[in-house]
Amino acid sequence: MCGQELIMKASAVLDVPELLTTAEVAALLKVNRSTLSRWRSAGAGPGVTWLTANIPRLPARRRRGVAPTGRGLTIRKLPSGRWFAVLKSGRAYVSGRTFDTRRDAQAWLAREQAALTGGVDPRAGRSTVRMLLPVWLEERKHSVSAKIYVADAAVVRLVPHSLAALRIAAVSDREVSRALIALSRTGLAEASVRRFRDSLSSFFAWAVRERMIPTNPVTPTRVPKASTPRTEMYPFSEEELEELYGRAVQRDQRLADLLLIDAWTGLRWSELRAVRVRDFVEIPLPVLVVQRAEPEGVQVKGTKSGRSRRVPVADRVLPLVRLLAAGREADELLCVTSSGHRLHASAFKRTLAWASIAQGRRIHDLRHTAACLWLARGVDPVTVQAWMGHASIATTNLYLHHLGTAADRAGLDRLNRRGHTGGTRSVVESQ
């Protein structure tokens, strides 16, 4: 006979208002079941009426402070004056917690019961963040790209110990915000803190899907604004680009050609490394088909936008691209060193002495240079957006602001107009 049937039979025979299992009595008395059994064998401890060998009944004087709330929920006042709430599913004990006020206990019970009804098991939320992170990463390894997985794996190293030690069900947006602020104070860049938040949000979203917690505590949080100035784009003008090319040729002809090609096509460094010979097409017009990227240390993947694009090859660099493709197999990499090796940013900058010839620019500023060259020559922003692979026209418009709008030029013309003597006093006197 199962325990539930035994309880029902004992209730019918003895006509008692409430029967509790050993686990339930142990939970109410805050002792282990083994301790309760030792009390029974020694005749010590609180008075408990044992109906059978494994079904006790708590005496009425011990149940006087117990307030049933229905649907398997119980709240009772402790001798200390605090309130102890018990969540049960049927007669099975699920979890319990102590609160300062009865209202807090009732609110917790309501939330837990709603979660239990919605399919979230509160018992699953007892595992700590530190215990669950490896489980999440194991699943993450087979569902995201290698680059994203590297960023996700850094969560184990970056998460504060105070947050990692918490049970996952006890983590709120307050703890997450404190973790983000703590990382910012260590000097971590705002972009790195943002990546940490994205990975942490993915972790808690996984916990929601696994029915461990009802909501994602990272969603309402925001990354603190960085106090350091943001790195602005610093493109080359056409004259500066030619001067840079001339200095680079003196060090390495092939790398100088690749530098100029990148500055006129606007490819990201990872896209430049992944271009194949067959991606160079001259009919009906010379273009580079950009459909993959290969960041250093990461396997080949799709472009940042996830879509391929066609970038025209201007006459200034068309002979250089033809020279790179001549006599090569279709599947070979187009942009390689003079010895045929794959491009690496560190070797590229070391060979060209980039720090001394680039005047404080980054390699990525070559991409910005291409957008500015196109816009300065009258290409419309929508076309530039397609060539650059921008998801939003707002990103392309940043280059327009850098070059200056028509209003900026009109204002400057007014400032430079002859006939103004300067100051306001002379204008008033002339009137």
Side-chain angles (χ1 to χ4, degrees):
M1 184 180 296
C2 67
Q4 185 66 27
E5 293 174 346
L6 195 59
I7 292 174
M8 293 175 62
K9 182 176 179 181
S11 300
V13 172
L14 299 176
D15 191 24
V16 293
E18 181 178 0
L19 294 175
L20 301 177
T21 63
T22 304
E24 292 169 336
V25 173
L28 290 174
L29 299 180
K30 289 192 172 181
V31 296
N32 296 327
R33 284 184 292 178
S34 58
T35 302
L36 199 62
S37 299
R38 287 197 301 272
W39 285 352
R40 175 175 179 265
S41 302
V48 175
T49 302
W50 290 80
L51 301 181
T52 65
N54 61 348
I55 302 182
R57 176 174 180 242
L58 199 64
R61 60 186 177 84
R62 295 286 295 172
R63 288 188 285 110
R64 194 169 297 138
V66 178
T69 60
R71 300 186 66 179
L73 308 179
T74 304
I75 299 175
R76 67 185 179 91
K77 191 172 185 179
L78 300 175
S80 62
R82 304 186 73 194
W83 294 84
F84 180 69
V86 176
L87 173 67
K88 295 190 291 183
S89 178
R91 286 192 173 273
Y93 173 83
V94 177
S95 63
R97 192 171 172 183
T98 304
F99 298 88
D100 293 331
T101 64
R102 181 184 178 89
R103 178 178 297 180
D104 292 341
Q106 290 174 334
W108 176 81
L109 280 175
R111 290 194 304 269
E112 294 298 307
Q113 181 61 34
L116 195 61
T117 304
V120 177
D121 187 357
R123 288 169 290 190
R126 296 174 186 171
S127 300
T128 63
V129 173
R130 183 180 291 109
M131 293 169 54
L132 293 173
L133 278 174
V135 181
W136 166 68
L137 285 174
E138 185 62 30
E139 293 188 14
R140 195 77 167 163
K141 182 187 300 183
H142 307 288
S143 59
V144 297
S145 66
K147 184 177 181 180
I148 295 178
Y149 178 77
V150 170
D152 291 342
V155 173
V156 179
R157 173 175 53 85
L158 295 175
V159 66
H161 296 294
S162 57
L163 178 59
L166 287 176
R167 294 181 301 171
I168 191 169
V171 178
S172 65
D173 57 337
R174 180 179 59 184
E175 284 76 21
V176 175
S177 296
R178 288 175 177 173
L180 297 177
I181 293 173
L183 284 179
S184 298
R185 288 177 176 173
T186 61
L188 201 64
E190 182 180 347
S192 300
V193 179
R194 197 175 300 280
R195 282 195 296 270
F196 169 79
R197 181 191 176 277
D198 293 341
S199 297
L200 197 64
S201 181
S202 299
F203 166 69
F204 282 102
W206 167 79
V208 172
R209 291 194 301 271
E210 293 295 324
R211 305 294 185 184
M212 298 179 186
I213 52 176
T215 58
N216 187 341
V218 183
T219 303
T221 62
R222 295 292 180 268
V223 175
K225 294 294 183 181
S227 57
T228 56
R230 182 178 179 179
T231 302
E232 297 291 339
M233 68 175 71
Y234 193 11
F236 295 91
S237 65
E238 191 167 352
E239 294 77 12
E240 291 173 334
L241 179 61
E242 291 299 330
E243 292 177 3
L244 175 68
Y245 178 67
R247 291 192 294 269
V249 166
Q250 298 175 7
R251 298 179 181 275
D252 189 291
Q253 179 68 54
R254 172 59 64 84
L255 294 184
D257 292 345
L258 294 177
L259 178 154
L260 195 63
I261 292 171
D262 195 22
W264 277 95
T265 58
L267 271 62
R268 300 178 178 91
W269 179 257
S270 59
E271 296 169 344
L272 189 71
R273 298 181 74 240
V275 174
R276 302 291 196 269
V277 173
R278 57 183 165 86
D279 294 328
F280 173 52
V281 181
E282 293 196 68
I283 299 175
L285 70 159
V287 296
L288 287 176
V289 181
V290 183
Q291 53 188 337
R292 68 187 70 82
E294 190 173 357
E296 298 187 26
V298 180
Q299 296 179 350
V300 178
K301 62 175 187 176
T303 61
K304 184 177 180 180
S305 63
R307 298 186 298 270
S308 62
R309 67 183 191 275
R310 301 168 70 87
V311 181
V313 180
D315 290 342
R316 176 65 183 88
V317 294
L318 182 58
L320 303 180
V321 178
R322 286 173 175 165
L323 182 62
L324 291 176
R328 307 277 302 283
E329 296 293 333
D331 286 332
E332 290 186 57
L333 293 175
L334 178 67
C335 301
V336 293
T337 65
S338 55
S339 60
H341 291 86
R342 188 185 302 272
L343 292 177
H344 291 280
S346 58
F348 177 86
K349 291 188 287 187
R350 183 174 59 251
T351 303
L352 294 181
W354 182 265
S356 61
I357 69 174
Q359 300 177 349
R361 270 88 163 192
R362 304 164 299 165
I363 293 179
H364 193 70
D365 285 320
L366 296 174
R367 173 172 164 83
H368 298 322
T369 300
C372 291
L373 288 175
W374 297 335
L375 290 170
R377 288 173 177 256
V379 182
D380 65 277
V382 176
T383 302
V384 173
Q385 177 191 2
W387 291 354
M388 294 289 287
H390 291 156
S392 172
I393 190 65
T395 306
T396 310
N397 287 338
L398 294 176
Y399 297 104
L400 289 175
H401 293 302
H402 179 81
L403 293 174
T405 62
D408 295 329
R409 288 189 289 272
L412 184 60
D413 290 341
R414 290 179 65 88
L415 292 177
N416 295 331
R417 186 179 302 167
R418 293 183 179 181
H420 192 276
T421 57
T424 58
R425 179 177 298 177
S426 59
V427 175
V428 175
E429 291 176 352
S430 64
Q431 292 177 350

